[in-house]
C-alpha cells in the first residue's frame, strides 16, 4: 500500500529524485557522532569508544527496546572506525583493535538483527577526524575513491555519508558527487543492496558560502544525485543550535537564511519528495549531561568536536558530548524535525537514555507525520514576535500543524484555520499528537492553553465531512 501511495504522489508531483529504491521516506536510526564523537581510547572507556562492541550493543538495544519496531533501522558510525593507514594494497580498512572482526562481520551482525549499517567517509584525502578518505578532489583524480566505493559495497553498507573535509571542502555537486553517487548506484545494482547516498559539508551558513566561493545552490541537482544532504553547521546539543536551525529552515528571512540566488528559498522548501529529503543534522533528544566524564559542547566550538585535539590517542576523559536541553526543548526538537520530513537520527546513548526522552522519540503519531509518504517539507506560515505557526501537508489530505513559542516565557498561540489551508466554514477535527488525544471538531480556529517558552504543540487537522 505504501508503494502505491508513493506512486500516486509522484503522479501529482515532479518526482525527479535519486531513483535507487531506498529512502522513500526520511531515514530513521541512530548515529554515533553527537554523543561519542571520536572516542578511540578503549582502554580508558571500553564501553564508550568507537568500536564493534559499542555498535553491537546499540544494535541490540534498538531491537530489544522497540526502536526498530517504530522504524529506527539504521545504525551509523560517523567517522573514527578506520585504521590510521590503508592496507598494503591501498584498500580502506577498519581499526583492527577496535573492530577485530572486521566491517563485513559487523555489517552481517547488524543485518542479522533486522537493522542496516551506515558508515562515513569524506571526499578529500582524509576525514574531518584525520582518517583515510576517498581522495577525490576532481573527476580526473578519483581512482582511490572507486576502490573505496567497492570496499564499502563488499562490506554490505546500506548508507554512506560523504563529508567535505581536508582538501575537498565544498565538494562539487556538479562533478565529484554525481560520480561517486553513480558508482554506489551501479554497485548496488550488482549486489542487490541499495545504498542511501548522503553528501554533507554543504552548509549555507559557513564561511565558504559567505566568501562567494561556490556556485548558487542547485537543489534540483542535489535531489538527482542524493537521497539526503546536510545543511547548516554541525549540531551541538544546546538550545541555541536548535533555535538557529529552526529559523534557517523557515527560509523566509535573509538574516537567518541568506540567499545566493533569487529563487533559493522556494527551491529549498519544495525539493523534498519520496527518495529525497534534507538533513538538519542529528536529533539531540536524550543527549543529557549525566556524567562527570562528559565534555560540554558549545555552539560553533570546533575544539568541542574531538576532545583531544589532533592527537586522538591522548584523551584525559572519554570523548563524549553531553547536552543541556530541557524536556520542553527536546519535544520541540522532535516536533520540528518531523514537520520538515527530516531524517530522525538519534544522537543519544540508547543504552541509558532517560525514559522521558525515549517517549518523545517513540511517539508513533509524531513519527507518522515525519514518515508521511508525501515527504512534504513543512513551512512557517506565521511568525508574530516569536510565536510561530508551521504547516505540513499530509498524503491523506490532512494537515500537521506545529505551534512553536520561540520566546523564553509561556504564551498562547492562536490558530486560525485559514492560515493552514482550510476555509473559515470548514468543520475541522483536531488531534493533539503529543498528548495523543482528540480535541474535538472546530470551525474557524482553535485556542490552546499557553505554550511553554521554547516549546511546541503539534496537531493533526482533518476536515469532517
Amino acid at each position: 500500500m505504501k508503494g502505491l501511495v508513493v506512486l500516486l504522489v509522484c503522479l501529482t508531483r515532479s518526482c525527479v529524485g535519486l531513483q535507487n529504491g531506498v529512502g522513500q521516506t526520511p531515514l530513521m536510526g541512530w548515529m554515533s557522532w553527537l554523543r561519542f564523537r571520536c572516542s578511540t581510547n578503549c582502554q580508558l572507556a571500553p564501553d564508550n569508544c568507537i568500536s564493534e562492541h559499542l555498535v553491537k550493543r546499540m544494535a541490540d538495544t534498538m531491537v530489544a527496546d522497540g526502536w526498530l519496531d517504530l522504524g529506527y533501522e539504521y545504525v551509523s558510525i560517523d567517522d573514527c572506525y578506520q585504521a590510521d593507514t590503508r592496507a598494503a594494497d591501498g584498500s580502506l580498512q577498519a581499526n583492527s583493535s577496535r573492530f577485530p572482526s572486521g566491517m563485513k562481520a559487523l555489517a552481517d551482525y547488524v543485518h542479522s538483527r533486522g537493522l542496516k549499517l551506515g558508515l562515513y567517509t569524506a571526499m578529500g584525502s582524509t576525514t574531518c577526524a584525520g582518517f583515510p578518505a576517498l581522495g577525490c578532489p576532481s573527476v580526473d583524480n578519483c581512482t582511490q575513491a572507486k576502490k573505496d566505493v567497492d570496499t564499502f559495497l563488499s562490506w554490505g553498507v546500506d548508507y554512506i555519508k560523504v563529508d567535505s573535509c581536508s582538501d575537498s571542502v565544498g565538494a562539487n555537486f556538479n562533478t565529484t558527487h554525481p560520480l561517486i553517487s553513480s558508482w554506489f548506484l551501479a554497485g548496488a545494482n550488482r549486489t542487490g543492496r541499495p545504498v542511501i547516498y548522503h553528501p554533507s559539508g554543504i552548509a549555507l551558513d559557513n564561511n565558504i558560502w559567505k566568501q562567494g566561493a561556490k556556485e548558487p545552490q542547485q537543489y534540483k541537482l542535489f535531489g538527482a544525485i542524493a537521497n539526503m544532504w546536510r545543511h547548516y553547521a554541525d549540531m551541538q546539543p544546546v538550545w541555541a543550535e536548535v533555535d538557529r536551525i529552526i529559523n534557517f529552515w523557515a527560509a523566509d528571512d535573509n538574516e537567518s537564511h541568506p540567499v545566493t540566488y533569487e529563487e533559493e528559498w522556494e527551491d529549498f522548501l519544495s525539493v523534498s519528495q519520496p527518495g529525497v529529503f534534507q538533513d538538519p543534522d542529528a536529533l539531540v533528544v536524550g543527549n543529557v549531561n549525566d556524567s562527570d566524564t562528559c565534555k560540554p559542547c558549545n555552539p560553533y566550538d570546533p575544539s568541542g568536536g574531538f576532545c583531544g585535539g589532533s592527537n586522538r590517542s591522548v584523551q584525559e576523559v572519554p570523548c563524549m558530548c553531553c547536552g543541556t536541553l530541557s524536556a520542553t526543548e527536546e519535544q520541540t526538537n522532535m516536533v520540528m524535525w518531523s514537520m520538515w520530513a527530516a531524517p530522525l537520527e538519534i544522537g543519544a546513548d540508547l543504552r541509558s537514555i532517560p525514559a522521558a526522552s525515549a517517549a518523545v522519540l517513540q511517539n508513533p503519531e509524531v513519527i507518522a507525520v515525519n514518515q508521511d509518504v508525501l515527504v512534504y517539507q513543512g513551512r512557517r506560515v506565521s511568525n508574530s514576535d516569536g510565536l510561530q505557526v508551521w504547516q505540513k501537508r499530509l498524503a491523506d489530505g490532512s494537515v500537521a500543524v506545529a505551534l512553536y513559542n520561540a520566546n523564553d516565557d509561556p504564551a498562547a498561540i492562536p490558530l486560525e484555520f485559514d492560515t493552514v489551508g482550510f476555509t473559515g466554514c470548514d468543520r475541522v477535527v483536531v488531534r493533539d499528537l503529543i498528548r495523543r488525544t482528540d480535541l474535538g471538531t472546530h470551525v474557524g480556529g482553535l485556542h490552546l492553553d499557553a505554550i511553554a517558552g521554547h516549546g511546541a504543540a503539534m496537531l493533526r487537522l482533518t476536515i469532517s465531512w
Side-chain angles (χ1 to χ4, degrees), residues 58-202:
M58 215 59 68
D60 292 343
T61 301
M62 290 177 71
V63 175
D65 292 354
W67 299 98
L68 175 59
D69 292 338
L70 289 162
Y72 292 97
E73 61 176 343
Y74 287 86
V75 183
S76 300
I77 313 171
D78 200 273
D79 211 349
C80 306
Y81 62 88
Q82 312 91 326
D84 290 328
T85 59
R86 292 180 175 274
D89 65 355
S91 60
L92 188 69
Q93 58 183 349
N95 181 283
S96 59
S97 63
R98 293 183 285 114
F99 294 87
S101 303
M103 299 309 293
K104 176 64 169 65
L106 180 60
D108 289 345
Y109 183 87
V110 169
H111 295 154
S112 75
R113 305 296 281 143
L115 299 161
K116 297 177 180 178
L117 180 67
L119 288 181
Y120 165 104
T121 186
M123 195 66 80
S125 57
T126 64
T127 68
C128 292
F131 292 96
L134 294 174
C136 183
S138 70
V139 294
D140 298 322
N141 186 15
C142 210
T143 304
Q144 183 61 63
K146 180 61 168 66
K147 191 178 188 71
D148 284 0
V149 169
D150 290 340
T151 296
F152 288 127
L153 292 168
S154 72
W155 286 346
V157 168
D158 303 282
Y159 161 41
I160 189 73
K161 177 180 175 181
V162 182
D163 213 339
S164 297
C165 298
S166 63
D167 48 353
S168 75
V169 175
N172 198 316
F173 270 80
N174 292 293
T175 56
T176 51
H177 271 298
L179 180 64
I180 302 298
S181 175
S182 71
W183 286 341
F184 273 107
L185 182 59
N189 289 336
R190 294 194 307 271
T191 64
R193 183 175 294 281
V195 179
I196 282 186
Y197 189 69
H198 178 196
S200 187
I202 60 167

Side-chain angles (χ1 to χ4, degrees), residues 243 246-247 250 336 380-390 401-407 413-414 451:
D243 185 59
I246 291 173
N247 285 319
M336 298 312 297
R380 185 162 69 186
V381 296
S382 174
N383 182 14
S384 177
D385 296 325
L387 305 181
Q388 305 179 18
V389 178
W390 291 70
V401 172
L403 305 177
Y404 165 52
N405 178 8
N407 302 316
I413 304 177
I451 297 171

Side-chain angles (χ1 to χ4, degrees), residues 248-291:
F248 177 86
W249 236 254
D252 60 7
D253 177 356
N254 202 54
E255 181 176 349
S256 59
H257 188 143
V259 297
T260 55
Y261 66 100
E262 186 176 351
E263 299 85 11
E264 181 173 316
W265 286 345
E266 181 56 32
D267 285 353
F268 173 83
L269 292 167
S270 62
V271 69
S272 293
Q273 58 184 284
V276 176
F277 36 89
Q278 306 193 82
D279 179 20
D281 209 353
L283 292 159
V284 294
V285 179
N287 200 321
V288 295
N289 191 3
D290 58 357
S291 170

Side-chain angles (χ1 to χ4, degrees), residues 158-458:
D158 303 282
Y159 161 41
I160 189 73
K161 177 180 175 181
V162 182
D163 213 339
S164 297
C165 298
S166 63
D167 48 353
S168 75
V169 175
N172 198 316
F173 270 80
N174 292 293
T175 56
T176 51
H177 271 298
L179 180 64
I180 302 298
S181 175
S182 71
W183 286 341
F184 273 107
L185 182 59
N189 289 336
R190 294 194 307 271
T191 64
R193 183 175 294 281
V195 179
I196 282 186
Y197 189 69
H198 178 196
S200 187
I202 60 167
L204 291 178
D205 195 51
N206 62 23
N207 290 331
I208 294 172
W209 288 102
K210 289 181 178 178
Q211 292 167 2
K214 309 304 297 176
E215 295 297 321
Q217 294 278 352
Q218 301 178 54
Y219 291 93
K220 301 300 188 292
L221 174 60
F222 294 175
I225 65 172
N227 297 106
M228 56 189 278
W229 54 89
R230 267 284 311 285
H231 277 311
Y232 211 73
D234 283 355
M235 170 65 85
Q236 306 288 2
V238 292
W239 174 249
E241 286 295 282
V242 178
D243 185 59
R244 267 192 284 265
I245 290 174
I246 291 173
N247 285 319
F248 177 86
W249 236 254
D252 60 7
D253 177 356
N254 202 54
E255 181 176 349
S256 59
H257 188 143
V259 297
T260 55
Y261 66 100
E262 186 176 351
E263 299 85 11
E264 181 173 316
W265 286 345
E266 181 56 32
D267 285 353
F268 173 83
L269 292 167
S270 62
V271 69
S272 293
Q273 58 184 284
V276 176
F277 36 89
Q278 306 193 82
D279 179 20
D281 209 353
L283 292 159
V284 294
V285 179
N287 200 321
V288 295
N289 191 3
D290 58 357
S291 170
D292 292 338
T293 62
C294 291
K295 180 179 179 65
C297 285
N298 300 311
Y300 305 115
D301 177 13
S303 63
F306 302 104
C307 303
S310 59
N311 188 351
R312 292 186 298 271
S313 65
V314 179
Q315 295 175 5
E316 295 180 358
V317 297
C319 183
M320 296 189 295
C321 187
C322 304
T324 59
L325 267 64
S326 68
T328 294
E329 292 164 347
E330 286 194 340
Q331 185 72 72
T332 299
N333 186 191
M334 181 66 174
V335 165
M336 298 312 297
W337 267 235
S338 296
M339 288 292 293
W340 300 332
L344 299 181
E345 286 192 282
I346 301 169
D349 186 344
L350 296 179
R351 301 167 301 180
S352 59
I353 188 170
S357 299
V360 169
L361 294 166
Q362 293 187 337
N363 184 324
E365 298 192 33
V366 176
I367 291 173
V369 171
N370 174 266
Q371 292 291 294
D372 185 78
V373 296
L374 193 60
V375 193
Y376 179 87
Q377 185 172 311
R379 304 184 179 208
R380 185 162 69 186
V381 296
S382 174
N383 182 14
S384 177
D385 296 325
L387 305 181
Q388 305 179 18
V389 178
W390 291 70
Q391 175 245 28
K392 174 182 172 70
R393 293 165 47 205
L394 301 175
D396 66 356
S398 60
V399 173
V401 172
L403 305 177
Y404 165 52
N405 178 8
N407 302 316
D408 295 334
D409 298 323
I413 304 177
L415 173 62
E416 304 299 330
F417 291 157
D418 59 4
T419 65
V420 293
F422 298 93
T423 72
C425 298
D426 288 332
R427 300 179 69 249
V428 179
V429 178
V430 181
R431 173 82 173 172
D432 184 326
L433 301 185
I434 294 174
R435 295 180 174 85
R436 298 167 67 180
T437 58
D438 292 324
L439 300 182
T441 301
H442 302 262
V443 176
L446 178 69
H447 293 264
L448 299 177
D449 294 336
I451 297 171
H454 305 173
M458 192 177 197

